[in-house]
Amino acid sequence: MRLSATYSSSALICLPLLLLLSLFPADARCQEQTVCLQCHGAQTGKGGAPVKAWRGSVHADNGISCNDCHGGDPRDAANAMSPVRGFLGVPGETGIPAFCGRCHVGIREEYLKSAHGRALGKGGPTCVTCHGSHTVMKATLDLINDKNCSRCHPYDRASVIKEAMRQTDGSITDIARKIQQFKGEGINIEVQEKSLFDLRNRYHRLFHVVDVGRVKQESEVIRQGLGTIEQALAKLDERNKRRKIVGTTVVAGLLLATLLSYLLKKTFDN
Ligand code: HEC
Ligand code: HEC
Ligand code: HEC
Ligand code: HEC
Ligand code: HEC
């Protein structure tokens, strides 16, 4: 296939490069080595803490660095934090949804419409109340728990939402696993993969509306979409099995024919 050919030739080019790069110390190797990280990394206390907290976060793993959130010039130590170079500083509490929402646009919209968004600046939680600012990790339903969600109100409504979402979460994981399996067998499954991707994103934004009725209603629609993918997968599975049976029959037939001709030949030889 074309894709795998490109892949292996780029692997051929990359391998010597990687070997060469591994001769340099780890710090020089990473494109992440901005002046922000250099200067703040050397600080103790409040200025250095964000660097330690950020390492290992989902943002660090995806190449989102200090300057991607705070702005500024990551290549010029003298002017790094100049507003002229786009430095945004530290957002105040009510500025946080817009600050994070530059990249997480869909989630910001759902959040601002929600009871939490409407209570922004009046005791409602912001993005960092639930996700943190530097230690942000991959989000799962585990974030919804008694400790996190009963600080400001009783846990009961939170637990209803979690229950409504858990089932859908399970189906998404199951379907994703099946799709990987099909891909491993070389079956073209692009349409289903794209469809799952869209439904998954819609589902993971859903939490932020924190509205029991809407979560239940949307979950129903998303589950129907997932059902359609499952049916398509089942059909593909069926076709695949049939192809395997035909394949096995042909091979068995060939083996039988070889055996027969061998036996015949032996009978003649005797
Ligand atoms: C040469 C050292 C140095 C460099 C380079 C540097 N900083 Fe800073 N930064 C500091 C010091 C010192 C402070 C604390 C003093 C202050 O608040 O003005 C600070 C404060 C901050 C603050 C908190 C500001 C506030 O209002 O509390 C943020 C956010 C920040 N830096 C981000 C960055 C980013 C992003 C970069 C790269 C674009 C960067 N820094 C580059 C030394 C540096
Ligand atoms: C995902 C976005 C994001 C990234 C990446 C990020 N920050 Fe921040 N940072 C924030 C937010 C939001 C706040 C405000 C914190 C709050 O209100 O809890 C903040 C606060 C700060 C502060 C002020 C802390 C204080 O206690 O007053 C400093 C200093 C800072 N960041 C430096 C950095 C440095 C250095 C990096 C790179 C290692 C970095 N930040 C990466 C979002 C980010
Ligand atoms: C009340 C707590 C809470 C607040 C406030 C909150 N989140 Fe979330 N967030 C969650 C939970 C819980 C999940 C996991 C939901 C799931 O697994 O479907 C999540 C998931 C996410 C995800 C992952 C989506 C995905 O595709 O997997 C992102 C990104 C995110 N939140 C960003 C934000 C941003 C940006 C804000 C502010 C505008 C915000 N969150 C406000 C609790 C919160
Ligand atoms: C400059 C763009 C940018 C900003 C600003 C930003 N993020 Fe992200 N965020 C990303 C990228 C890229 C990823 C990794 C890809 C993904 O999962 O969407 C990510 C991932 C996440 C995830 C994990 C998503 C998952 O799949 O579970 C959460 C939660 C999250 N961000 C929350 C925040 C919060 C909270 C803030 C503000 C403090 C913030 N982000 C600011 C770009 C950004
Ligand atoms: C910092 C305080 C705070 C935290 C933490 C918090 N909430 Fe809320 N929550 C509020 C406020 C304020 C409201 C609006 C007033 C009300 O309905 O109680 C609200 C309302 C709600 C509602 C009702 C929404 C509606 O439209 O009726 C749900 C559901 C909810 N929160 C779920 C959660 C979950 C789940 C968590 C944990 C992941 C959480 N909350 C954490 C402050 C918080």
Side-chain angles (χ1 to χ4, degrees):
M1 263 207 314
R2 219 186 119 66
L3 191 71
S4 57
T6 327
Y7 201 78
S8 55
S9 67
S10 68
L12 277 179
I13 299 170
C14 282
L15 208 60
L17 260 181
L18 281 177
L19 283 173
L20 196 70
L21 285 172
S22 65
L23 297 175
F24 292 101
D27 279 354
R29 217 192 307 153
C30 301
Q31 49 88 32
E32 59 153 53
Q33 208 36 275
T34 61
V35 296
C36 325
L37 285 165
Q38 276 165 8
C39 190
H40 280 271
Q43 291 174 29
T44 50
K46 242 176 79 172
V51 181
K52 288 196 199 76
W54 167 82
R55 289 198 196 284
S57 72
V58 68
H59 289 126
D61 290 349
N62 283 279
I64 302 295
S65 198
C66 321
N67 53 294
D68 292 308
C69 277
H70 291 289
D73 190 337
R75 260 168 270 290
D76 180 354
N79 298 296
M81 297 194 298
S82 157
V84 181
R85 300 285 173 90
F87 187 62
L88 300 169
V90 177
E93 194 196 343
T94 53
I96 286 175
F99 190 84
C100 306
R102 282 176 295 155
C103 300
H104 302 289
V105 178
I107 291 179
R108 181 194 59 200
E109 281 166 8
E110 299 284 20
Y111 164 84
L112 285 177
K113 282 186 283 185
S114 75
H116 284 161
R118 290 196 303 271
L120 176 63
K122 295 173 280 188
T126 71
C127 318
V128 304
T129 315
C130 299
H131 294 288
S133 48
H134 298 122
T135 50
V136 181
M137 293 297 167
K138 251 195 112 47
T140 70
L141 290 180
D142 294 341
L143 280 174
I144 309 174
N145 59 55
D146 205 355
K147 187 165 152 276
N148 287 348
C149 309
S150 58
R151 266 167 53 196
C152 312
H153 49 63
Y155 182 60
D156 51 354
R157 288 175 306 183
S159 84
V160 175
I161 288 189
K162 187 170 180 173
E163 273 322 306
M165 293 188 74
R166 202 203 302 272
Q167 203 187 338
T168 317
D169 205 32
S171 320
I172 290 178
T173 315
D174 284 350
I175 295 176
R177 200 180 302 126
K178 267 188 219 149
I179 286 185
Q180 280 314 319
Q181 204 178 321
F182 277 116
K183 278 175 86 178
E185 293 175 15
I187 298 168
N188 185 347
I189 203 129
E190 232 167 78
V191 179
Q192 286 78 16
E193 204 177 12
K194 165 89 175 51
S195 171
L196 179 67
F197 182 81
D198 291 343
L199 286 172
R200 191 208 157 273
N201 280 349
R202 193 164 153 194
Y203 162 77
H204 282 291
R205 265 204 310 266
L206 183 58
F207 167 76
H208 298 91
V209 307
V210 290
D211 174 331
V212 179
R214 255 204 72 199
V215 167
K216 282 190 169 159
Q217 203 184 344
E218 267 282 293
S219 293
E220 196 47 53
V221 178
I222 290 171
R223 270 207 287 275
Q224 274 168 18
L226 292 173
T228 310
I229 302 181
E230 265 176 333
Q231 277 166 9
L233 291 183
K235 241 187 231 153
L236 276 171
D237 203 24
E238 194 56 41
R239 205 186 306 159
N240 199 25
K241 268 194 203 124
R242 237 180 287 141
R243 201 178 297 149
K244 270 188 195 152
I245 292 174
V246 173
T248 321
T249 319
V250 170
V251 171
L254 282 174
L255 276 177
L256 199 65
T258 317
L259 187 69
L260 278 177
S261 74
Y262 170 76
L263 287 178
L264 268 173
K265 192 167 176 289
K266 248 185 119 177
T267 342
F268 274 112
D269 285 353
N270 283 338

